Amino acid sequence: MPLSTLLVIVLGGSAGALIFAVGLSRWVLARGTGTPEMRVISDAIQEGAEAYLRRQNKTIALLAVLVAAALAIGYGLLRQSMPGDPVSDRTMLAFYITLSFLLGALSSGVAGYMGMWVSIRTNIRVAAAATSSLNAALQTALRGGAVSGLFTVAMSLLGVGGLFAVLSTFAPAGMDPSVWVQKIPFVIVGYGFGASFVALFAQLGGGIYTKAADVGADLVGKVEAGIPEDDPRNPAVIADLVGDNVGDCAGRGADLFESIAAENIGAMILGVVLYQAFGVAGILFPLVVGAAGIMASIVGIMSVRTNETEDPMRALNRGFYLTTALVSVAIFFICKTLLVTPDAPGAWLYFFFCAMVGVATSVAFVFITQYYTEYRYRPVQTIADASKTGPATNIIMGISVGLESTVMPVITIAIALVSSFMLGRASGIMVDGEAAGGLFGTAVATMGMLGSAGYILAMDVFGPITDNAGGIVEMSQQPPEVREKTDRLDSVGNTTKALTKGYAIGSAALAAFLLFSAYLDEVRNYTGEVLHVDLSKPQVFVGGLLGAMLVFWFSSLAIRAVSAAAQSVITEVRRQFREKPGIMLGTDKPDYGACVDIVTKGALRAMVLPGALVVIFPVVVGVLFRQLGGPGERLGAEAVAAFLMVATITGILMAGFMNNGGGAWDNAKKFIETGAHGGKKSDAHKAAVVGDTVGDPFKDTAGPSLHVLIKLLSTITLVLAPLFI
Amino acid sequence: MPLSTLLVIVLGGSAGALIFAVGLSRWVLARGTGTPEMRVISDAIQEGAEAYLRRQNKTIALLAVLVAAALAIGYGLLRQSMPGDPVSDRTMLAFYITLSFLLGALSSGVAGYMGMWVSIRTNIRVAAAATSSLNAALQTALRGGAVSGLFTVAMSLLGVGGLFAVLSTFAPAGMDPSVWVQKIPFVIVGYGFGASFVALFAQLGGGIYTKAADVGADLVGKVEAGIPEDDPRNPAVIADLVGDNVGDCAGRGADLFESIAAENIGAMILGVVLYQAFGVAGILFPLVVGAAGIMASIVGIMSVRTNETEDPMRALNRGFYLTTALVSVAIFFICKTLLVTPDAPGAWLYFFFCAMVGVATSVAFVFITQYYTEYRYRPVQTIADASKTGPATNIIMGISVGLESTVMPVITIAIALVSSFMLGRASGIMVDGEAAGGLFGTAVATMGMLGSAGYILAMDVFGPITDNAGGIVEMSQQPPEVREKTDRLDSVGNTTKALTKGYAIGSAALAAFLLFSAYLDEVRNYTGEVLHVDLSKPQVFVGGLLGAMLVFWFSSLAIRAVSAAAQSVITEVRRQFREKPGIMLGTDKPDYGACVDIVTKGALRAMVLPGALVVIFPVVVGVLFRQLGGPGERLGAEAVAAFLMVATITGILMAGFMNNGGGAWDNAKKFIETGAHGGKKSDAHKAAVVGDTVGDPFKDTAGPSLHVLIKLLSTITLVLAPLFI
């Protein structure tokens, strides 16, 4: 299939999805906006969220410009051209890399902003819809989430595909276009770096904001003042609701945006390796699968409907399975059409099976995450049970469950990685006389897993939307039957948020190898030698040790940032209660804005150090070890590779521990609130509230930020590889 | 220096230290045993500890016999002889390996038993001495601890040195003795495996026992019934005191015993590599340093004295510095005498500097651990501060501190490992034309660090002895000034226990490389090829991922075991309080024995699964990946190496997190008890008690067991290497 046809499919598909998302957002915005009381609250949330995101984006933009300047100066002025450079003119190379970094950063920021923009407008419409029927509320919430999900996935495809399309028309003078298309993926790696750079700060800042507000509001409201969650007398309650939007929507949007961008670029680099076999079709294969996936997600989303009595999770699951089935069928035909080579006529079928391994992995992760975080199953119940003997045993058991929850996912990933590698290797694709399809097999599996990303992300944003809708219903004092509806959706939203995190870390783990390979290809491209990452060299081992340590250090800083920002919320709320006793009596209005302002400042201040650490540390390691090694030893490149790989392993485990542990604590509390072990207000419930609070920064700040950290390490080492050689 | 002289130094030194330890124990046993009330309590502790250890040893013996049988059958009957075998007759090889496994297991068990035997007799004598002077109590406690410390280190040297001496007289027919001495270290690897096998179960079982009793006693006593710690009305109080002995004394004794044994054997294998340069002196170098270290430790221990007003920690620190200085001087002369070769006359000085790197690392770890666990410094104070807003923020901050506390140790280890490797490589030692001293440099650094092991272990056992002495003083209702003395020693004991854990994990990290190298040498010995551990192969990466996951899984099981066993204690204590209301009034005696019995059963039952997991999992990984790889690919051996290395990295970090986090929580509580943030009974104190309880299984069960896990993985892969090739 010629390049132009492939690009039309990719760009046409993603543009179509964007248009559909715009249409969907008009459908959502046309829903009713409920009572004036609801609108007051929704407006306050909207105002706070937009103000925060404006300030956060200003800070991130400043940091991004700094990095862009460093890239431009480093590549354009300081560094000598090297024979392996994809573009021989160093000014042009600096221009391409800096531009794609800035484009990636900008797109990631826009994806996050869009996610929030829609969700803060959908929440009130879900609240209003809940006054009529559950199905109306469910569809409004999911379609609101879908706007964000489709937008993110489509933007990512459009960005990478568009850059590829534009660059493909700019072959440097004297270079054959067929050679040039093999170099483009290396030129646009900056896009992935820019996207993950912004995503790290967005996820980290948003994560700190949301949990500082949540922990602060809970501790001073529920525990000290004894008022229920989302009570309008709590001055931090608006900040808490704002947090759901800036953390879960904007943060996760940027996270999945960069995942898709980075993983597509990594897979395209692996496609370059197989250029002899598949030509440009191998390079664009990941984007074509992505375009098909987004179409399947649209069908899946629009198919979801429920009735008043059904568990809404079942409806969402049906949509997921439909999406998965459609993606599988589409991949079958894509493999059969694109992955054809006369030398290995049966290879496409092997790669189709690789993709099925990826699809199966996504389903397995959905099941495993549900097992560890829903209260129907043993893990959450043991935590609830341990709450009977107080907060200490609740915490001990929660940590134990969180640690254990990494076992099944790791085994799943191990099987998926080894089997897709072996299937790919057995496909019969040879390069230079050696079986070469193994790594491409893991890339295809990743694409299979990411095929349903649009649907998954829609389900994810569904979570904060319903959470907010519940808050609006509670604060505007709607009748109990309305609250009962939003509570049911909110509980489903908790599950879908946990699922997305499981899915995100699973795809990050599966994709990890693809990004390592891209780095190794880049190093080989420069040195002409295959780089082995030999842990039995002490310096390389130390590189790995430092990588694992970075994950611990970063987690420590992220958790502490929440604690510090929460302290300032607590102090502020206490001050308001003290100075305006009328608040508790309902005669005086709390100053919501002051709390929003304090959390905003705290989150922005706190996100800089851990974020900078992740960017600077691998560079220091690489440059230092390059100095320590002899000439031609490539010790810098090798130590950085070990750093990256062991950090990825540790990051996968730590993120799984934190996400699932936090989710399990949350639902153990919810289980007790259903009446188990004495129900609300019992000692077991008090203990479970402690566990829930501890889990908050785990599951919504440190855990999700680790997903991005893993990929940021990959993209930063990929872009800066020439520094370490 | 001829072999016989070297062996005389090693065996003479360790036998001398043993005799000294016997003399010291007679000195301790000759101290006064206080009042009859004290003796009643001490007898109960003694009885419970001995009963537990008898049953534990029976269980472990059964497991060890099973493994020995598997080794004997596997090596002697199932496996074909291979060209690389150190002994060509497979029956003889099976005999040697099984015998050294059993000897190692037996010695490890005896070392643990001895530690406990002395400590349960010293505790009452410290309590009695505290009625006269602080110095008398300090010296009694330290010398009691020293009996155990010296005994452990000397036994370890005697075991490895004795096996070497005996085997050196049994050169197989037709083999040159100079070839045979190079094979002996490979024949006795079973000794290290046996020692670490027993140590894992001893540390795990003892750790579960001590913390189940502690957590159970605290939750039901302090929290529910509102009675102070060590109150005689608490039926679990004797079990708690027994726990200090079986966990901290017996467990840590077995832990350090196997560390020294395994690391000596690993270093001897590296000495074999340099046989061309140093002959047999290079092989026995580690044991000679060990013999000098134990002498230096004796001098250090006997030098410690204090007065009534001094902080006893200062006195202990003086002894540590004296030991360190003496070790350094001794190593200088040992290097100058043994590490001489005409080809590189200056090499010994480089190796001396390597040893100094090790000594400096031990001092650095002592400082870092103090910084993170003493309440004079920021970390513990931030936890105490966070307690003001309740248990949730206390836990969040404690986890953050624990995670952060891994940063400095990892940087220290990174510097130590790289610098000792580079110093060793620069020494000028060449084998087959290549610089070959690098790995031996890391081994020498490890020996430098382990030189003070005798003193460190004496300080460690000092901890549970003074803890018990405090308990005896409290329960026998001595006057407050006596209690004040034992409280001061107990607080110092908490610090020394934390220090030992830092030291143990630091030396494990430094030694890790030495044990990996031994494994790689063993593989090369069989295959004739150098094994690279290339993480960029997907299967090898998966091996590493599974290794890291094992650490998480094991930690989860260890923590949960404590929780489960603690639950049964709580149930039993509640039953006693309910059925005998006279206990709380002081008119009825609680049934201490029932609690001791319940914890014993719980701990023994709970230790089997995590222990078995550690033994079986690496074998499964190795065998499975050998099947997955092609012939000659060595995929099994390579995946197991990655498994081992990444598990070691993750284990070092996780153990540091758990040890320091737990220690910091403990001391944050103690800081509040000094009157800060409202002092005892304040809300901050209640929150800090929750943190302390959560930290208990971290710092005394999972953390220390991870030290052993790391080394058990090394020794098991070393012994079973032929299975994976």
Side-chain angles (χ1 to χ4, degrees):
Chain A
M1 207 176 270
L3 176 60
S4 54
T5 317
L6 291 167
L7 285 173
V8 166
I9 294 173
V10 172
L11 300 180
S14 38
L18 270 188
I19 293 167
F20 189 86
V22 172
L24 210 53
S25 75
R26 298 183 63 153
W27 181 88
V28 170
L29 292 178
R31 301 299 96 192
T33 52
T35 65
E37 293 81 26
M38 286 182 179
R39 276 195 292 277
V40 170
I41 300 151
S42 170
D43 286 349
I45 298 173
Q46 212 165 308
E47 196 185 312
E50 283 178 344
Y52 173 72
L53 226 61
R54 251 196 318 276
R55 285 170 67 169
Q56 177 182 277
N57 285 343
K58 214 183 279 174
T59 309
I60 297 178
L62 189 73
L63 294 168
V65 167
L66 280 177
V67 173
L71 284 176
I73 294 169
Y75 269 92
L77 297 175
L78 301 179
R79 177 176 166 275
Q80 297 304 316
S81 281
M82 291 165 87
D85 284 348
V87 183
S88 57
D89 177 1
R90 70 177 187 181
T91 315
M92 277 313 285
L93 182 64
F95 174 74
Y96 283 142
I97 288 191
T98 311
L99 186 73
S100 45
F101 173 83
L102 283 172
L103 264 178
L106 185 69
S107 314
S108 183
V110 171
Y113 188 83
M114 267 303 297
M116 182 215 64
W117 192 90
V118 180
S119 89
I120 54 181
R121 286 166 175 79
T122 310
N123 51 17
I124 184 170
R125 291 166 171 88
V126 174
T131 57
S132 59
S133 86
L134 185 70
N135 182 49
L138 172 78
Q139 287 194 335
T140 308
L142 182 65
R143 291 179 183 185
V147 174
S148 161
L150 296 175
F151 199 86
T152 300
V153 179
M155 279 273 291
S156 182
L157 285 173
L158 208 56
V160 177
L163 262 176
F164 192 96
V166 171
L167 285 173
S168 68
T169 64
F170 282 98
M175 191 183 281
D176 189 89
S178 74
V179 175
W180 175 235
V181 292
Q182 298 181 52
K183 298 203 179 264
I184 298 175
F186 291 101
V187 175
I188 62 177
V189 290
Y191 189 81
F193 178 29
S196 42
F197 182 84
V198 168
L200 182 74
F201 285 100
Q203 180 67 71
L204 194 54
I208 295 170
Y209 187 106
T210 177
K211 290 303 124 173
D214 190 3
V215 169
D218 279 3
L219 281 178
V220 83
K222 278 200 258 185
V223 180
E224 285 185 19
I227 52 180
E229 190 157 348
D230 293 335
D231 190 293
R233 289 169 296 178
N234 190 333
V237 68
I238 293 288
D240 186 9
L241 291 169
V242 167
D244 294 333
N245 294 294
V246 300
D248 290 343
C249 294
R252 197 87 69 258
D255 173 1
L256 279 209
F257 177 83
E258 67 81 30
S259 290
I260 297 167
E263 288 156 18
N264 275 329
I265 294 172
M268 288 163 82
I269 289 178
L270 291 184
V272 170
V273 179
L274 302 190
Y275 190 80
Q276 289 179 25
F278 301 134
V280 75
I283 301 178
L284 289 181
F285 173 84
L287 301 181
V288 176
V289 173
I294 200 166
M295 293 298 147
S297 297
I298 289 177
V299 177
I301 289 159
M302 300 311 289
S303 79
V304 173
R305 65 193 71 244
T306 187
N307 55 42
E308 292 304 299
T309 53
E310 189 191 38
D311 175 2
M313 194 64 220
R314 290 173 57 95
L316 291 178
N317 275 339
R318 274 199 307 273
F320 174 64
Y321 292 129
L322 177 62
T323 306
T324 306
L326 291 175
V327 167
S328 303
V329 172
I331 291 179
F332 179 85
F333 289 105
I334 295 170
C335 287
K336 200 172 173 187
T337 315
L338 297 189
L339 302 183
V340 282
T341 168
D343 299 332
W348 69 271
L349 196 59
Y350 284 88
F351 289 116
F352 169 67
F353 285 123
C354 292
M356 288 305 99
V357 167
V359 171
T361 306
S362 71
V363 176
F365 265 84
V366 165
F367 274 110
I368 296 169
T369 312
Q370 294 200 18
Y371 176 72
Y372 275 102
T373 55
E374 285 195 5
Y375 58 64
R376 284 181 290 158
Y377 303 104
R378 178 193 61 83
V380 172
Q381 291 189 355
T382 56
I383 298 177
D385 205 48
S387 308
K388 287 187 291 181
T389 38
T393 40
N394 166 290
I395 299 288
I396 292 175
M397 195 52 89
I399 289 176
S400 174
V401 164
L403 290 169
E404 185 201 295
S405 77
T406 59
V407 174
M408 289 308 298
V410 163
I411 292 176
T412 306
I413 287 295
I415 294 173
L417 210 47
V418 172
S419 63
S420 61
F421 180 79
M422 293 180 74
L423 277 167
R425 201 173 50 178
S427 68
I429 300 294
M430 311 293 266
V431 172
D432 302 332
E434 279 192 50
L439 290 173
F440 194 69
T442 69
V444 174
T446 308
M447 295 306 128
M449 183 155 185
L450 283 181
S452 49
Y455 189 87
I456 293 277
L457 196 49
M459 282 214 297
D460 180 60
V461 179
F462 173 91
I465 289 176
T466 54
D467 193 341
N468 262 241
I472 292 171
V473 164
E474 172 80 28
M475 288 185 67
S476 61
Q477 293 161 351
Q478 299 298 313
E481 64 270 19
V482 179
R483 219 178 301 169
E484 191 263 336
K485 284 198 192 90
T486 56
D487 275 357
R488 276 170 68 190
L489 291 180
D490 186 19
S491 140
V492 169
N494 273 324
T495 304
T496 62
K497 277 191 284 183
L499 290 186
T500 316
K501 281 176 237 162
Y503 177 86
I505 194 67
S507 66
L510 199 55
F513 225 82
L514 180 162
L515 292 165
F516 303 159
S517 310
Y519 169 78
L520 298 175
D521 278 347
E522 177 81 341
V523 172
R524 192 186 48 195
N525 183 34
Y526 276 103
T527 64
E529 299 157 21
V530 174
L531 183 72
H532 298 288
V533 186
D534 188 355
L535 265 194
S536 69
K537 294 183 190 164
Q539 301 94 330
V540 179
F541 177 79
V542 166
L545 180 61
L546 291 171
M549 180 267 269
L550 173 67
V551 170
F552 276 62
W553 195 358
F554 176 85
S555 304
S556 166
L557 291 172
I559 292 171
R560 177 161 326 159
V562 172
S563 188
Q567 292 289 346
S568 54
V569 176
I570 292 172
T571 312
E572 168 64 20
V573 172
R574 283 188 187 150
R575 185 191 65 78
Q576 292 199 22
F577 278 156
R578 197 175 53 240
E579 292 178 6
K580 297 190 193 171
I583 295 177
M584 279 301 281
L585 305 170
T587 58
D588 206 346
K589 267 197 77 166
D591 181 359
Y592 300 128
C595 279
V596 169
D597 206 51
I598 277 176
V599 192
T600 300
K601 281 189 197 133
L604 292 181
R605 203 174 35 234
M607 79 181 182
V608 176
L609 177 63
L613 182 71
V614 177
V615 177
I616 294 167
F617 203 48
V619 181
V620 170
V621 169
V623 172
L624 200 69
F625 278 92
R626 192 188 61 174
Q627 298 302 326
L628 285 178
E633 244 193 303
R634 315 280 179 226
L635 209 51
E638 198 173 345
V640 162
F643 181 94
L644 169 63
M645 290 174 181
V646 181
T648 300
I649 288 176
T650 317
I652 291 168
L653 286 163
M654 189 67 100
F657 161 56
M658 296 208 163
N659 291 342
N660 295 333
W665 267 314
D666 189 347
N667 280 331
K669 184 195 71 176
K670 292 216 162 69
F671 179 57
I672 292 177
E673 286 173 354
T674 65
H677 306 311
K680 271 194 180 184
K681 309 259 168 197
S682 66
D683 281 344
H685 185 248
K686 280 192 199 116
V689 169
V690 172
D692 178 38
T693 309
V694 170
D696 273 341
F698 277 35
K699 73 179 197 301
D700 289 318
T701 313
S705 299
L706 284 170
H707 308 167
V708 194
L709 176 144
I710 294 172
K711 274 160 294 180
L712 179 60
L713 288 180
S714 285
T715 54
I716 195 171
T717 49
L718 192 54
V719 169
L720 300 181
L723 262 184
F724 312 137
I725 293 164
Chain B
M1 205 175 272
L3 175 60
S4 54
T5 318
L6 291 167
L7 285 174
V8 165
I9 294 174
V10 172
L11 300 181
S14 38
L18 270 189
I19 293 167
F20 189 87
V22 171
L24 210 54
S25 74
R26 298 182 63 153
W27 182 88
V28 170
L29 292 179
R31 301 300 95 192
T33 52
T35 64
E37 294 81 27
M38 286 182 178
R39 275 195 292 277
V40 170
I41 299 150
S42 170
D43 286 348
I45 298 173
Q46 212 164 307
E47 195 186 312
E50 284 178 344
Y52 173 71
L53 227 60
R54 250 196 320 275
R55 286 170 67 167
Q56 178 182 276
N57 285 343
K58 213 183 281 174
T59 309
I60 298 179
L62 189 72
L63 294 168
V65 167
L66 280 177
V67 173
L71 284 176
I73 294 171
Y75 269 92
L77 297 176
L78 301 180
R79 178 175 166 275
Q80 296 305 317
S81 282
M82 291 167 87
D85 284 347
V87 183
S88 57
D89 177 1
R90 71 178 186 178
T91 314
M92 278 311 287
L93 183 64
F95 175 74
Y96 284 142
I97 289 190
T98 310
L99 186 72
S100 44
F101 173 83
L102 284 172
L103 265 177
L106 185 69
S107 314
S108 184
V110 170
Y113 188 82
M114 266 304 298
M116 182 215 64
W117 192 91
V118 180
S119 89
I120 54 181
R121 285 164 176 80
T122 309
N123 51 17
I124 184 168
R125 290 165 172 88
V126 174
T131 58
S132 59
S133 87
L134 185 69
N135 183 50
L138 173 77
Q139 288 194 337
T140 308
L142 183 64
R143 291 179 184 187
V147 174
S148 160
L150 296 175
F151 199 86
T152 299
V153 179
M155 279 272 293
S156 181
L157 285 173
L158 208 56
V160 177
L163 262 176
F164 192 95
V166 171
L167 285 174
S168 67
T169 64
F170 281 98
M175 192 182 280
D176 189 89
S178 74
V179 176
W180 175 234
V181 292
Q182 297 181 53
K183 297 203 180 266
I184 298 176
F186 291 99
V187 175
I188 62 177
V189 291
Y191 189 81
F193 178 30
S196 42
F197 181 85
V198 168
L200 182 73
F201 285 99
Q203 181 68 69
L204 194 56
I208 295 170
Y209 187 107
T210 178
K211 290 302 125 173
D214 190 4
V215 169
D218 279 4
L219 281 178
V220 82
K222 279 201 259 187
V223 181
E224 286 185 18
I227 52 180
E229 191 156 347
D230 293 335
D231 190 293
R233 288 170 294 178
N234 190 333
V237 69
I238 293 288
D240 186 10
L241 292 169
V242 166
D244 295 331
N245 294 293
V246 300
D248 292 342
C249 293
R252 197 88 67 258
D255 174 2
L256 279 209
F257 177 84
E258 67 80 31
S259 289
I260 298 168
E263 287 155 19
N264 275 328
I265 294 172
M268 289 164 81
I269 288 178
L270 291 183
V272 170
V273 178
L274 303 190
Y275 191 81
Q276 290 179 25
F278 301 134
V280 75
I283 301 178
L284 288 181
F285 174 83
L287 301 181
V288 176
V289 173
I294 200 165
M295 293 298 147
S297 298
I298 289 177
V299 177
I301 288 159
M302 299 311 290
S303 79
V304 173
R305 64 194 71 244
T306 188
N307 55 40
E308 291 304 299
T309 54
E310 189 192 39
D311 175 2
M313 193 65 221
R314 289 174 57 95
L316 291 179
N317 274 338
R318 276 199 306 274
F320 174 63
Y321 292 129
L322 178 62
T323 306
T324 306
L326 290 174
V327 166
S328 303
V329 172
I331 291 179
F332 179 85
F333 289 104
I334 295 171
C335 287
K336 200 173 171 185
T337 315
L338 297 189
L339 302 183
V340 283
T341 168
D343 300 330
W348 69 271
L349 196 59
Y350 284 88
F351 288 116
F352 169 68
F353 285 123
C354 292
M356 289 304 100
V357 167
V359 171
T361 306
S362 71
V363 176
F365 264 84
V366 166
F367 274 110
I368 296 169
T369 312
Q370 294 200 17
Y371 176 72
Y372 275 101
T373 56
E374 285 194 6
Y375 58 64
R376 285 180 288 158
Y377 304 103
R378 178 192 61 83
V380 172
Q381 290 188 355
T382 55
I383 298 176
D385 205 49
S387 308
K388 287 188 292 184
T389 37
T393 40
N394 167 288
I395 299 287
I396 291 174
M397 195 51 91
I399 289 175
S400 173
V401 164
L403 291 169
E404 185 201 295
S405 77
T406 60
V407 174
M408 289 308 298
V410 163
I411 292 176
T412 306
I413 287 295
I415 294 172
L417 209 48
V418 171
S419 63
S420 61
F421 180 79
M422 292 180 76
L423 277 167
R425 201 172 50 177
S427 68
I429 300 292
M430 311 293 265
V431 171
D432 302 331
E434 280 193 50
L439 290 174
F440 194 68
T442 68
V444 175
T446 308
M447 295 306 127
M449 182 155 187
L450 284 181
S452 48
Y455 189 87
I456 293 277
L457 195 49
M459 283 214 297
D460 180 59
V461 179
F462 174 91
I465 289 175
T466 54
D467 192 341
N468 262 243
I472 292 171
V473 164
E474 172 81 28
M475 287 185 67
S476 61
Q477 294 162 350
Q478 300 297 314
E481 64 269 18
V482 179
R483 219 176 303 169
E484 190 263 334
K485 284 198 192 91
T486 55
D487 275 357
R488 276 170 69 190
L489 291 180
D490 186 20
S491 140
V492 169
N494 273 324
T495 304
T496 62
K497 276 190 287 185
L499 291 185
T500 316
K501 281 175 238 163
Y503 177 87
I505 194 68
S507 66
L510 199 55
F513 226 82
L514 181 162
L515 293 166
F516 303 159
S517 310
Y519 170 78
L520 298 174
D521 278 349
E522 177 81 341
V523 172
R524 192 186 48 196
N525 183 36
Y526 276 102
T527 63
E529 300 158 20
V530 175
L531 184 71
H532 298 289
V533 186
D534 188 356
L535 265 194
S536 70
K537 293 182 190 162
Q539 302 94 330
V540 179
F541 177 79
V542 166
L545 181 61
L546 292 171
M549 180 268 268
L550 173 67
V551 170
F552 276 61
W553 195 358
F554 176 85
S555 305
S556 166
L557 291 173
I559 293 171
R560 178 160 326 159
V562 172
S563 188
Q567 291 290 346
S568 53
V569 175
I570 292 172
T571 313
E572 168 63 20
V573 172
R574 283 186 186 152
R575 185 193 65 79
Q576 292 198 23
F577 279 156
R578 197 175 54 238
E579 293 179 6
K580 297 190 194 172
I583 295 177
M584 279 301 282
L585 305 170
T587 57
D588 206 346
K589 268 197 75 164
D591 181 0
Y592 300 128
C595 280
V596 169
D597 206 51
I598 277 177
V599 192
T600 301
K601 280 191 198 131
L604 292 181
R605 204 175 32 235
M607 79 182 181
V608 175
L609 176 63
L613 182 70
V614 177
V615 177
I616 295 168
F617 203 47
V619 181
V620 171
V621 169
V623 172
L624 200 68
F625 279 92
R626 192 188 62 173
Q627 298 303 324
L628 285 178
E633 245 193 303
R634 314 281 178 224
L635 209 51
E638 199 173 345
V640 162
F643 181 94
L644 169 62
M645 291 173 179
V646 181
T648 300
I649 289 176
T650 317
I652 291 168
L653 287 162
M654 188 66 99
F657 161 56
M658 296 209 162
N659 291 341
N660 296 332
W665 267 314
D666 189 347
N667 280 331
K669 184 196 71 176
K670 292 216 162 67
F671 179 57
I672 292 176
E673 286 173 355
T674 65
H677 306 311
K680 270 195 179 184
K681 309 260 167 199
S682 67
D683 281 344
H685 186 248
K686 280 193 197 114
V689 168
V690 172
D692 178 37
T693 308
V694 170
D696 273 341
F698 277 36
K699 74 178 195 303
D700 289 317
T701 312
S705 298
L706 284 170
H707 308 167
V708 194
L709 176 143
I710 293 172
K711 276 160 294 181
L712 180 59
L713 288 179
S714 285
T715 54
I716 195 171
T717 48
L718 192 54
V719 170
L720 300 181
L723 262 184
F724 312 137
I725 293 162

